[in-house]
Amino acid sequence: MNKVVIVTGGSRGIGAATSKRLAADGYAVCVNYRTRMDAADQVVAKIRADSGDAFAVRADVSVEADVIALFDAVEAEFGAVTHLVNNAGVLFTQARLVDMDLDRFNKVMAANVTSCFLCCREAIKRMKPGGAIVNVSSVAARTGSPFEYVDYATSKGAVDSMTKGLSLELAADGIRVNAVRPGFIYTDIHADGGDPGRVDRLSPQIPLGRGGTADEVANAIAWLLSDEASYVTGSFIDLAGGR
Ligand code: NAP
């Protein structure tokens, strides 16, 4: 089958690396973004320069109408989606839970959990046997991220539960659902948390002694989506240097 993938938040960081990797693997790639059209356009230009197939679609994946329009746009451009990477995610400035307001909590849940629900739902309406979904969770789902962002960790715990439950619902349909759990990856997200040097600061506590790269996460996502992982569903790959 022709492989058509949506990478949510495909414009920067892990999503950008994943978009480029999947295009190199022969997928037609929809690079989704919310605000940074310039970054999305750069990813698309790089893929096309390397003879791949990609286009960019703006959609806030926490908004139902945007998600439906996103899937419709992909279908019009490439045909029905066959694969999905739920990568879009946010975190906010490090704080203790007691100091977080409800607006912040709701924003994190919408961007990280509602988005995953909406995109999974629209994808599985269209997917055929052989389809696959990878959700980008976080080691935070295991650690809870105390004193930094318990809200974010909570949202990633929900992503893990959705991954497990949906994988069991879809197993008999031949659609696989898995997740990666990165940690300490060099991207812009740490600056959003108010700690741009976080990865280097924590490196001495990481068993492998360094932070990870977006390409290293993209490798795991590409494998989980691929037929090489045909007997893998409801599974999690941690990419956190041994933490
Ligand atoms: P990043 O560099 O900040 O990139 C985030 C991407 O998500 C951007 O492309 C952004 O698009 C997009 N995005 C955010 N909210 C969106 C929305 N509502 N709708 C559509 N797109 C949206 O972050 P990253 O580090 O690559 O993170 C990617 C994923 O990995 C996230 O789910 C994050 O939680 C997870 N993760 C990262 C790490 C790490 O160490 N970096 C560790 C564990 C888990 P715009 O720029 O256009 O807004």
Side-chain angles (χ1 to χ4, degrees):
M1 74 179 157
N2 286 336
K3 297 182 294 186
V4 176
V5 66
I6 296 174
V7 180
T8 70
S11 53
R12 292 189 293 119
I14 292 168
T18 301
S19 295
K20 290 180 221 167
R21 166 61 198 264
L22 294 178
D25 288 351
Y27 292 79
V29 180
C30 170
V31 178
N32 158 251
Y33 68 99
R34 182 186 48 173
T35 52
R36 291 282 305 276
M37 187 168 76
D38 58 324
D41 285 347
Q42 276 180 27
V43 174
V44 169
K46 170 74 177 140
I47 288 172
R48 289 182 179 162
D50 293 341
S51 306
D53 212 355
F55 82 131
V57 178
R58 200 215 73 83
D60 179 340
V61 288
S62 65
V63 174
E64 187 171 35
D66 278 21
V67 171
I68 292 168
L70 167 67
F71 277 79
D72 287 347
V74 172
E75 199 152 334
E77 183 80 11
F78 291 140
V81 68
T82 60
H83 296 76
L84 169 67
V85 181
N86 280 310
N87 165 77
V90 298
L91 53 71
F92 295 110
T93 315
Q94 294 172 1
R96 293 169 63 118
L97 186 146
V98 71
D99 296 319
M100 293 176 189
D101 63 25
L102 180 59
D103 182 54
R104 166 187 168 135
F105 184 83
N106 286 339
K107 278 185 179 142
V108 169
M109 296 304 280
N112 297 358
V113 184
T114 307
S115 62
C116 197
F117 159 71
L118 289 171
C119 290
C120 284
R121 190 189 67 188
E122 292 311 306
I124 61 186
K125 284 179 186 168
R126 295 161 169 87
M127 277 183 181
K128 303 214 164 19
I133 297 170
V134 173
N135 296 326
V136 180
S137 175
S138 170
V139 284
R142 280 198 283 104
T143 66
S145 298
F147 309 105
E148 290 191 317
Y149 12 70
V150 172
D151 53 349
Y152 171 83
T154 302
S155 74
K156 295 301 186 178
V159 169
D160 283 6
S161 298
M162 204 184 308
T163 301
K164 196 75 197 173
L166 188 58
S167 73
L168 297 174
E169 282 194 5
L170 297 180
D173 298 325
I175 297 170
R176 298 179 300 102
V177 186
N178 293 289
V180 292
R181 284 193 293 227
F184 324 108
I185 310 300
Y186 288 102
T187 72
D188 296 342
I189 204 169
H190 307 289
D192 296 339
D195 190 0
R198 181 171 181 268
V199 176
D200 285 333
R201 183 171 59 75
L202 295 178
S203 285
Q205 299 164 37
I206 299 170
L208 283 181
R210 63 170 177 88
T213 68
D215 285 339
E216 289 175 309
V217 182
N219 290 342
I221 294 171
W223 181 75
L224 283 170
L225 281 187
S226 77
D227 290 342
E228 288 187 5
S230 52
Y231 200 52
V232 182
T233 198
S235 293
F236 300 84
I237 297 180
D238 287 11
L239 297 120
R243 275 283 289 271

